[in-house]
Amino acid sequence: MDKKKLSEQDIRTKFITPAIVSAGWDVLRQIREEVTFTKGRVIVRGKLHTRGEARRADYVLYHQANVPIAVVEAKDNNCLPGDGMQQALDYAEALDVPFVFTSNGDGFVFHDRSGTGGLVETHLGLNEFPMPADLWARFCLWRGLEGDAVEKSQVPYYDDGSGRAPRYYQVNAINRTVEAVARGQQRVLLVMATGTGKTYTAFQIIWRLWKSRQKKRILFLADRNILVDQTKNNDFKPFGGAMTKITGRKIDTSYEIYLSLYQAVTGAEEEKNIYKQFSPDFFDLVVIDECHRGSAAEDSAWRDILEYFSSATQVGLTATPKETKDVSSTFYFGDPVYTYSLRQGIDDGFLAPYKVVRIDFDKDLQGWRPPKGMLDKNGEPIEDRIYNLKDMDRELVLEMRTLAVAAKITQFLKASDPYTKTIVFCDDISHAERMRQTLVNLNPDRVRENRKYVMRITGDDAEGKAELDSFINPESRYPIIAVTSKLMTTGVDAQTCKLVVLDQHIKSMTEFKQIIGRGTRINEDFNKFWFTIMDFKRATELFADPAFDGDPVQIYEPKGDESPVPPDEELLPSGEGGAGSGGEPPGGGDGRDAGEDEGPSRKRYVIGDNVQVHIVSERVQYYGADGKLITESLRDYTRQCVGKSFSSLDAFLRRWTDADQKKAVIDELASKGVLWEALQEEVEAKLGKPLDAFDLICHVAFDQPPLSRRERAENVKKRNYFAKYEGAARQVLEALLDKYADTGIEPIEDLKILQLPPFNKIGAPLELVKVFGGKAGYTQALAELEDQLYDLRKA
């Protein structure tokens, strides 16, 4: 047998797998092959999307289910044994495992990330692969597990038999937390972006600690009633009769798992602090959802609960750990045992990318000074000073500004989809009510269809709050536009929300991240893969704050009457954000949104339509694949992106020629950061002719003279290429060439094009394929047509 002629799969089957099994690894329980652990980043082009390449390890070795300890990367025998090590190390870092192996079938290269051995990298023969017990012992040493902690860390996960398995980052978070508790750590902090399954992660942590009897009585605290109910009825359901939700003023101490609102067990009066009906040592585990909301604050009533149960192990969950002069999550809990950010979630394809539409008004930026003696709509004299953005909807209400905001929202929805779920964040309840009324008046037809097209969902409005579940429910069409101030900043699992509007002054990084998190969930069933943020109060300037983990994918600033819908271009990863539960006023309050300022001492001037408001700004900013602002020209940036995949023009031409579908090359370059639509718009504006992806890259990256699509099509016709075809076959190919000239290469590679005019006038798709002798013949004819289009020597 000549190893050099064997495929990678053959090398794995004949050499690598037998070597691992002979070392004592159980092929059914401990060895998994071709483990795909991400979904592939969402890449949006125009109104369509595709997925980037998912990350897949050749082998992952486990001590037991959901406890990975090693990665093995395989190559064919034409490679060196250590080839693929950098890729394998990247996988190992993501999967949180210390041991990395590569092999070409001759032997192994072993990389030890744990520091528990001698050399970092060593060569091993096929018969020298480490035994499971040896790697497990070194794994425990690496994680600081010894004595009873080793056994405690091996408690199995809950398995309902449905095949549901935690995602890789959830496994990391669960294992790190259980191990920390097994080592005796009393305060544990987990940071996970909104939409990444914190509640399911919390369930698995609690389940493993509870089933092993390490923790017998557990309290789970949240700060929204809907979250407690969802938790009890969904992720925590397996606890069954051992679980209860704390309601009323009398505590039943016969349960083991308690779920509660912070507000339900605390109050300003001592008799409302019903948590004190439990003895201080009653709970041995307290899990705090969205711990930044109160547990991090020294003076918070919620913090009193934690101090009362200070003997219990306390696990804090948050998407946005809070660090200010007065409030600190890490001071109380310590550094996070694991962090999974929004940027990571977007890179992995588990969370939705987003673009930003930034709209500025003249009165916000240039300021406005009232004429001498001017009265507002209520007859109040207006203080003589310059009012600008910081005053809008606080000290000064310009009704025409509210109208301009509502008009842009309406214009965006009409230009994209009028039934796009939208959240509009306003400064306070009265601002939210003005916005609701204005949106209703601008959308009379939609409101006649259903009065709930626009709803104000704020803490003081019972009917609006009642519609919150309907807004969240993907199956429920209405409400479409939810106008709020604080109530929906957190705790709203709005899976189908595609537009988040900021007409609110936001200076808190924590609150900003929470609001961004309203749109980050992906819902494939309802075609929600990305979302848009429309910013009217420059809140998105917080993207530039070092505390924000990365930047948005695009910032678009329309001018004048331009459409608020950004020009089509690719969405690339953004930065850290996210949110979780929260939003009801601590302690119940008066039912208003948390953080409202509606007191009688507040002075506010209301100005009608006698003061006009106009849009000013004319700037488009692009963000690259690393989430950073592109400071060089779009052309230079494109050259860098192309250079990551192709070192020369010849390399690009070989890849383009060899690709079965050119779309694969286009998507590959998109995943490297090429902003196709923006690049096309810029180059075509300068050249005055439409180019396809091939000519864009050849021209911009390799300085080749470009041909338009029409010129390429005409060159094919001049060469009389179609002479060898006749009848319907020739008609189809001529039509494909015309389609290419009009729309580019990607549409003609899709078989569905045969269902469209003019093809459907020539014959049915099946009939058209048959004239080429079947699908293989049609595909071959299309490939030959593409060769004619891109043959540079003839073109």
Side-chain angles (χ1 to χ4, degrees):
M1 186 190 331
D2 185 354
K3 272 190 181 181
K4 300 294 185 188
K5 295 181 179 179
L6 297 179
S7 67
E8 180 186 305
Q9 182 61 58
D10 281 331
I11 293 294
R12 282 163 49 184
T13 302
K14 292 176 170 60
F15 298 99
I16 299 176
T17 302
I20 297 172
V21 171
S22 65
W25 294 83
D26 188 313
V27 73
L28 295 178
R29 296 188 307 107
Q30 294 181 300
I31 302 173
R32 285 187 59 200
E33 294 188 55
E34 297 189 348
V35 180
T36 300
F37 58 93
T38 70
K39 298 199 74 172
R41 188 174 71 211
V42 173
I43 301 168
V44 178
R45 299 181 61 201
K47 294 181 180 179
L48 304 176
H49 79 277
T50 186
R51 288 271 191 184
E53 189 175 350
R55 298 163 84 187
R56 185 177 69 184
D58 289 335
Y59 295 84
V60 178
L61 306 184
Y62 297 80
H63 172 67
Q64 64 185 47
N66 297 310
V67 184
I69 61 175
V71 167
V72 183
E73 185 67 20
K75 297 295 179 185
D76 65 38
N77 200 247
N78 295 296
C79 299
L80 297 172
D83 285 356
M85 179 58 76
Q86 292 185 137
Q87 179 183 9
L89 285 169
D90 179 56
Y91 294 164
E93 187 173 324
L95 296 172
D96 201 15
V97 302
F99 307 121
V100 187
F101 299 85
T102 57
S103 178
N104 66 349
D106 290 338
F108 295 94
V109 174
F110 172 31
H111 185 107
D112 180 9
R113 298 177 62 237
S114 72
T116 58
L119 296 174
V120 175
E121 283 195 4
T122 53
H123 287 259
L124 305 174
L126 284 177
N127 61 347
E128 295 178 301
F129 197 86
M131 293 186 293
D134 292 340
L135 288 190
W136 174 242
R138 293 172 67 172
F139 178 89
C140 291
L141 188 61
W142 177 57
R143 294 284 253 257
L145 300 170
E146 56 185 0
D148 292 345
V150 175
E151 184 178 348
K152 290 176 180 178
S153 69
Q154 297 181 71
V155 180
Y157 281 58
Y158 173 77
D159 185 356
D160 62 3
S162 68
R164 179 184 183 182
R167 292 170 175 169
Y168 83 91
Y169 61 84
Q170 294 171 334
V171 167
N172 295 346
I174 295 162
N175 290 347
R176 283 288 183 175
T177 304
V178 169
E179 290 166 11
V181 175
R183 291 193 304 267
Q185 189 170 322
Q186 283 293 91
R187 302 289 180 267
V188 181
L189 180 63
L190 268 181
V191 178
M192 295 173 65
T194 294
T196 57
K198 287 195 298 295
T199 307
Y200 173 70
T201 301
F203 162 71
Q204 288 286 7
I205 291 167
I206 295 170
W207 178 270
R208 293 179 68 189
L209 296 174
W210 179 64
K211 290 300 284 186
S212 65
R213 308 311 288 167
Q214 294 177 62
K215 305 297 178 184
K216 299 181 178 67
R217 293 196 182 101
I218 293 121
L219 174 62
F220 179 85
L221 285 172
D223 70 346
R224 275 196 58 77
N225 200 46
I226 187 173
L227 278 173
V228 175
D229 291 338
Q230 287 176 350
T231 299
K232 183 174 184 286
N233 297 329
N234 297 321
D235 287 326
F236 280 38
K237 194 173 184 179
F239 288 123
M243 172 178 59
T244 188
K245 175 186 174 183
I246 297 176
T247 56
R249 292 291 160 188
K250 185 65 179 172
I251 296 295
D252 184 344
T253 59
S254 64
Y255 294 92
E256 296 184 44
I257 311 291
Y258 291 81
L259 280 64
S260 178
L261 283 172
Y262 293 105
Q263 302 94 313
V265 292
T266 60
E269 295 82 26
E270 184 61 28
E271 64 270 15
K272 291 186 178 179
N273 291 320
I274 63 172
Y275 66 89
K276 292 186 178 179
Q277 294 181 35
F278 296 107
S279 61
D281 60 355
F282 183 84
F283 295 109
D284 39 28
L285 175 65
V286 179
V287 178
I288 309 99
D289 192 21
E290 288 310 316
C291 61
H292 70 276
R293 296 276 297 164
S295 57
E298 287 281 359
D299 58 352
S300 168
W302 303 344
R303 181 71 169 265
D304 293 340
I305 304 175
L306 303 187
E307 290 179 349
Y308 183 78
F309 297 118
S310 59
S311 63
T313 300
Q314 296 175 4
V315 176
L317 305 171
T318 184
T320 52
K322 199 161 190 175
E323 298 300 322
T324 68
K325 181 173 137 238
D326 302 310
V327 177
S328 173
S329 300
T330 56
F331 178 78
Y332 184 80
F333 287 101
D335 292 332
V337 294
Y338 185 72
T339 298
Y340 189 73
S341 69
L342 178 58
R343 173 179 290 177
Q344 289 171 288
I346 291 175
D347 281 343
D348 289 342
F350 295 121
L351 295 179
Y354 55 95
K355 63 174 71 173
V356 175
V357 179
R358 184 179 286 169
I359 298 171
D360 294 321
F361 297 117
D362 55 348
K363 301 300 186 290
D364 294 349
L365 300 188
Q366 300 164 9
W368 174 76
R369 183 175 181 178
K372 186 175 182 179
M374 184 178 182
L375 305 180
D376 75 352
K377 284 188 70 173
N378 300 317
E380 292 282 338
I382 303 171
E383 181 185 351
D384 183 16
R385 66 178 178 87
I386 295 175
Y387 296 84
N388 54 31
L389 180 61
K390 72 178 185 298
D391 301 301
M392 297 301 167
D393 301 301
R394 287 178 166 175
E395 320 316 325
L396 182 71
V397 174
L398 296 179
E399 291 184 344
M400 295 307 291
R401 186 188 183 284
T402 304
L403 177 63
V405 171
K408 278 298 178 185
I409 296 170
T410 301
Q411 183 184 0
F412 182 96
L413 293 176
K414 286 181 177 178
S416 52
D417 176 6
Y419 298 99
T420 292
K421 288 285 182 87
T422 300
I423 304 177
V424 183
F425 287 98
C426 298
D427 270 306
D428 51 40
I429 290 173
S430 60
H431 182 198
E433 176 57 21
R434 291 195 306 277
M435 186 63 69
R436 183 199 68 80
Q437 291 178 14
T438 309
L439 284 166
V440 165
N441 289 331
L442 289 177
N443 294 273
D445 293 342
R446 304 296 176 194
V447 174
R448 274 193 291 272
E449 284 178 19
N450 191 303
R451 68 179 182 82
K452 295 180 181 178
Y453 183 81
V454 183
M455 292 290 291
R456 173 165 65 89
I457 301 180
T458 51
D460 70 322
D461 189 287
E463 185 179 1
K465 286 175 71 175
E467 292 300 322
L468 181 56
D469 284 352
S470 296
F471 182 82
I472 292 171
N473 183 5
E475 301 283 351
S476 176
R477 187 168 201 178
Y478 297 99
I480 296 296
I481 303 174
V483 186
T484 189
S485 60
K486 300 291 185 184
L487 185 64
M488 296 177 70
T489 56
T490 60
V492 178
D493 184 7
Q495 297 178 23
T496 55
C497 175
K498 294 183 180 180
L499 177 61
V500 175
V501 179
L502 306 179
D503 196 25
Q504 182 182 103
H505 293 86
I506 304 169
K507 296 303 177 187
S508 159
M509 179 58 68
T510 297
E511 185 176 13
F512 179 61
K513 290 180 178 181
Q514 296 280 355
I515 288 174
I516 298 303
R518 298 311 93 220
T520 55
R521 287 172 172 84
I522 287 175
N523 189 314
E524 298 188 6
D525 293 337
F526 289 85
N527 199 36
K528 159 68 186 301
F529 290 92
W530 57 282
F531 70 106
T532 301
I533 299 167
M534 187 180 286
D535 179 18
F536 292 96
K537 285 192 172 144
R538 303 190 78 82
T540 52
E541 289 181 348
L542 286 168
F543 283 131
D545 193 304
F548 197 86
D549 179 28
D551 299 302
V553 296
Q554 175 197 4
I555 293 182
Y556 167 57
E557 298 192 5
K559 60 181 179 179
D561 295 327
E562 286 183 345
S563 170
V565 180
D568 290 344
E569 60 179 271
E570 305 205 1
L571 289 182
L572 300 167
S574 65
E576 161 59 14
S581 60
E584 289 182 350
D590 62 357
R592 293 187 181 276
D593 285 1
E596 289 293 7
D597 183 5
E598 295 278 353
S601 62
R602 186 165 182 173
K603 188 74 172 178
R604 178 180 284 150
Y605 303 107
V606 180
I607 312 296
D609 59 7
N610 53 328
V611 176
Q612 298 298 308
V613 175
H614 304 283
I615 292 173
V616 291
S617 95
E618 190 176 348
R619 187 168 60 119
V620 178
Q621 291 180 293
Y622 302 105
Y623 287 80
D626 59 356
K628 298 296 182 183
L629 179 67
I630 299 170
T631 54
E632 65 269 54
S633 72
L634 201 53
R635 286 171 174 248
D636 289 341
Y637 169 74
T638 302
R639 288 191 190 100
Q640 292 178 18
C641 292
V642 174
K644 295 174 187 175
S645 295
F646 307 107
S647 58
S648 66
L649 175 61
D650 286 343
F652 172 69
L653 294 179
R654 282 195 301 272
R655 177 76 175 91
W656 187 267
T657 303
D658 293 342
D660 291 335
Q661 284 206 325
K662 311 311 178 192
K663 182 179 183 298
V665 183
I666 294 169
D667 288 344
E668 177 184 334
L669 288 171
S671 71
K672 299 297 183 184
V674 173
L675 300 162
W676 284 111
E677 280 73 17
L679 182 66
Q680 192 162 21
E681 183 179 337
E682 180 178 302
V683 174
E684 290 180 1
K686 182 176 181 180
L687 298 179
K689 59 183 181 181
L691 309 181
D692 78 353
F694 176 84
D695 282 282
L696 276 174
I697 295 303
C698 288
H699 177 61
V700 172
F702 302 111
D703 298 316
Q704 297 297 303
L707 293 176
S708 70
R709 296 194 301 266
R710 182 67 62 188
E711 287 169 333
R712 288 197 174 277
E714 289 301 323
N715 284 338
V716 174
K717 291 177 181 178
K718 289 175 186 176
R719 292 196 291 271
N720 200 25
Y721 164 69
F722 298 121
K724 65 178 182 176
Y725 294 98
E726 58 185 24
R730 179 164 181 159
Q731 286 181 276
V732 168
L733 288 172
E734 288 175 340
L736 284 172
L737 191 61
D738 289 339
K739 281 288 185 184
Y740 163 80
D742 292 336
T743 61
I745 193 67
E746 290 179 83
I748 73 170
E749 291 187 327
D750 190 342
L751 264 176
K752 292 179 182 176
I753 199 170
L754 298 180
Q755 301 172 9
L756 305 175
F759 304 97
N760 57 2
K761 296 180 181 178
I762 304 171
L766 193 58
E767 294 170 348
L768 298 182
V769 170
K770 280 183 178 179
V771 302
F772 292 93
K775 185 176 179 181
Y778 174 81
T779 303
Q780 179 62 32
L782 179 60
E784 290 176 1
L785 176 60
E786 290 181 343
D787 288 343
Q788 290 290 318
L789 281 168
Y790 298 115
D791 189 337
L792 298 181
R793 290 168 298 177
K794 297 176 182 176

